[in-house]
Amino acid sequence: MADPLKWVKERNMEFVKPFFGSVENWKKIGDWDCYECKEGPHKNENFPYRFKKDEEYTLADVKTHAGKRGGELLSEGMYGMDVIHKWKCGFGHEFEATPKLIIMGGHWCPECSPAPWNFNELVKVDKMLADYCFLDQEVVT
């Protein structure tokens, strides 16, 4: 169940920690009046593609992106950002999706993505997900 407020209320640290780092971090989140749009943490510069136009993406870009997700592009060539390609995640699941959905939409393996989430295992193969998880921080309740 994707309900962050419920996770915090019930102190479900299995979900609070990857999303917020801690309950204390969640408490520090302000309301919309203090929200300022910033770039993400990008610890490893894993998001260089976001600012390109569709026609500027190369096969190398798509393969690099898949590798940073812990997987690979199985399709032989680059047929366009809106054309369905074959992929494999770091756990060996094969799936189909467009490069646009993967790179710009942030989607990845449909078998690994649904709840129940196992972030502790996913971040071991998915460097991009690891950039946005707080699993290496101490849990504060």
Side-chain angles (χ1 to χ4, degrees), residues 75-133:
S75 296
E76 292 296 319
M78 179 65 179
Y79 307 108
M81 293 296 283
D82 294 313
V83 177
I84 293 175
H85 288 63
K86 293 183 181 183
W87 310 81
K88 182 165 49 170
C89 79
F91 293 104
H93 305 129
E94 293 185 13
F95 58 99
E96 294 183 341
T98 66
K100 184 180 276 186
L101 181 68
I102 298 297
I103 295 174
M104 296 175 171
H107 292 265
W108 191 232
C109 176
E111 290 188 51
C112 293
S113 297
W117 298 296
N118 188 359
F119 293 110
N120 291 317
E121 292 302 313
L122 290 172
V123 298
K124 290 176 183 176
V125 297
D126 190 329
K127 293 178 183 83
M128 294 179 84
L129 180 61
D131 276 356
Y132 283 89
C133 285

Side-chain angles (χ1 to χ4, degrees), residues 39-89:
E39 287 191 31
H42 304 172
K43 293 182 222 172
N44 298 316
E45 297 299 322
N46 283 327
F47 295 91
Y49 313 116
R50 205 168 265 185
F51 306 107
K52 288 187 176 186
K53 295 178 182 173
D54 284 7
E55 62 272 11
E56 295 174 337
Y57 287 97
T58 66
L59 180 60
D61 291 331
V62 177
K63 285 182 174 185
T64 297
H65 188 88
K68 289 179 180 179
R69 296 300 311 254
E72 62 184 299
L73 175 68
L74 298 177
S75 296
E76 292 296 319
M78 179 65 179
Y79 307 108
M81 293 296 283
D82 294 313
V83 177
I84 293 175
H85 288 63
K86 293 183 181 183
W87 310 81
K88 182 165 49 170
C89 79

